[in-house]
Amino acid sequence: METLPTTTVSSCKSERRGRSSKYQNTSKPSVIMAFFSCVAWLYVAGRLWQDSENRVILNNMLKKNYDQKPKVLTVDDKLMVLGCKDLERKIVETEMELTLAKSQGYLKSGPSSGKSLLAVIGVYTGFGSHLRRNSFRGSWMPQGDALKKLEERGVVIRFVVGRSPNRGDSLDRKIDEEDRARKDFLILENHEEAQEELPKKVKFFFSAAVQNWDAEFYIKVDDNIDLDLEGLIGLLESRRGQDASYIGCMKSGEVVAQEGGQWYEPEWWKFGDEKSYFRHAAGSLIILSKNLAQYININSGSLKTYAFDDTSIGSWMIGVQATYIDDNRLCCSSIRQDKVCSVA
């Protein structure tokens, strides 16, 4: 029997061992790489899981703190937390001092150009008073260049009118056109020009005058009054430097309680059993010094008005340290020869 050659068997075994060794040599790096990949994946997954847990915990803490936070804190709560009761007391004291300063006209003053005017004169007018305005312009009230020269002397004169209840209508447009041509109006943008709103007009006038001009005196004049302008200027010059001056033709009288009667006062019962008005300047011509006009400007939102503007101003002056000056030259219906005004 023939035997296989030993060299063939030996070569086959040697070939199989070579292949096995080759496979073993190439698989080791792959196993190592797979191992490190798994470790890296586990590390990243762990960090992501930890971050997610942290976000959940943080979100819960924020929500808990928000739920525990008071929704509304009163001023007292805040002061208690801050331990500022002493500060609260100082605030109250400061507010009282501020109120006193306002009442004396020391705050919220009008614009200053370096030189104070002597007076701002506001002549009341209405939408239907065009002819009367022209009459004034042709008599005691200067026009054009003469009006500018008067302002250089320290006296400003303006017709005072509000706005129509129907804003922008023909009444408003006519006033605007006349003002562009004449330049002698003070238009009260926030006042409605109507008979029932007339008592409130005086607040808007003094406020607007103070805000637009810095003067020693502010004067309200009715539209049926002729002025002796030089006589009025002389009167004002003699009163320069007199603060808290409330000047006019002082009067008082019966409060009309009968509805429908002339000068009827709807709130007559507030004036006591005697139904008599307190002393006040007649409405035809009223002069206020700077700090009193400033007082009206500052407190206009809370000042009470009555049926007539002169009694309304009189009620405001009772509450401040005003100096009442009764000057008969300002009694426009009197027969005095030296009066500075007369009924037109």
Side-chain angles (χ1 to χ4, degrees), residues 14-59:
S14 180
E15 183 180 353
R16 284 197 297 270
R17 281 197 301 268
R19 289 176 183 172
S20 176
S21 176
K22 182 179 180 181
Y23 291 150
Q24 288 176 357
N25 291 337
T26 57
S27 63
K28 285 180 180 180
S30 300
V31 171
I32 293 172
M33 290 297 294
F35 173 78
F36 281 112
S37 297
C38 291
V39 171
W41 183 87
L42 290 173
Y43 175 80
V44 172
R47 289 300 302 269
L48 291 174
W49 177 85
Q50 186 177 8
D51 290 344
S52 177
E53 285 293 307
N54 289 340
R55 284 196 294 271
V56 171
I57 293 172
L58 181 60
N59 183 61

Side-chain angles (χ1 to χ4, degrees), residues 81-239:
V81 172
L82 297 174
C84 292
K85 285 296 183 181
D86 184 57
L87 178 60
E88 181 184 19
R89 177 183 57 80
K90 292 180 179 179
I91 290 173
V92 172
E93 292 176 353
T94 303
E95 287 177 343
M96 293 174 65
E97 293 175 357
L98 184 62
T99 300
L100 178 61
K102 285 182 176 181
S103 69
Q104 295 175 347
Y106 294 125
L107 298 178
K108 200 179 177 182
S109 60
S112 177
S113 60
K115 180 181 178 182
S116 177
L117 299 169
L118 175 63
V120 175
I121 302 173
V123 182
Y124 272 26
T125 191
F127 295 121
S129 301
H130 177 72
L131 294 178
R132 182 169 291 177
R133 290 193 292 272
N134 283 341
S135 175
F136 288 164
R137 292 178 181 121
S139 56
W140 63 267
M141 183 174 174
Q143 305 178 61
D145 292 338
L147 188 64
K148 292 181 180 178
K149 289 181 180 180
L150 182 65
E151 293 179 7
E152 292 173 1
R153 291 178 57 189
V155 178
V156 171
I157 305 177
R158 294 291 186 272
F159 288 112
V160 182
V161 67
R163 284 301 190 185
S164 169
N166 301 313
R167 288 297 182 100
D169 64 6
S170 60
L171 297 176
D172 279 348
R173 291 195 297 272
K174 287 180 180 178
I175 290 293
D176 290 336
E177 290 171 5
E178 188 175 347
D179 184 37
R180 283 193 291 270
R182 298 287 191 169
K183 302 185 186 305
D184 57 4
F185 277 88
L186 173 59
I187 300 175
L188 307 176
E189 297 291 345
N190 296 321
H191 174 67
E192 183 178 298
E193 193 69 35
Q195 185 63 35
E196 61 273 14
E197 298 294 323
L198 191 58
K200 298 178 183 178
K201 184 174 181 177
V202 71
K203 290 199 298 184
F204 288 102
F205 161 62
F206 281 116
S207 293
V210 165
Q211 292 167 17
N212 282 280
W213 296 282
D214 179 23
E216 289 201 40
F217 299 99
Y218 297 87
I219 305 168
K220 175 256 176 179
V221 180
D222 276 348
D223 65 350
N224 62 340
I225 299 300
D226 281 330
L227 285 181
D228 173 4
L229 189 55
E230 291 300 324
L232 178 60
I233 292 173
L235 185 154
L236 296 174
E237 289 282 4
S238 68
R239 297 289 182 183

Side-chain angles (χ1 to χ4, degrees), residues 260-295:
Q262 189 179 18
W263 313 120
Y264 168 63
E265 173 58 70
E267 299 188 67
W268 55 267
W269 56 275
K270 290 185 177 180
F271 295 89
D273 296 335
E274 297 297 326
K275 298 183 180 64
S276 179
Y277 281 118
F278 36 75
R279 186 70 63 179
H280 62 278
S284 299
L285 198 159
I286 301 174
I287 303 173
L288 297 181
S289 63
K290 179 178 181 176
N291 58 340
L292 294 182
Q294 287 176 336
Y295 171 77

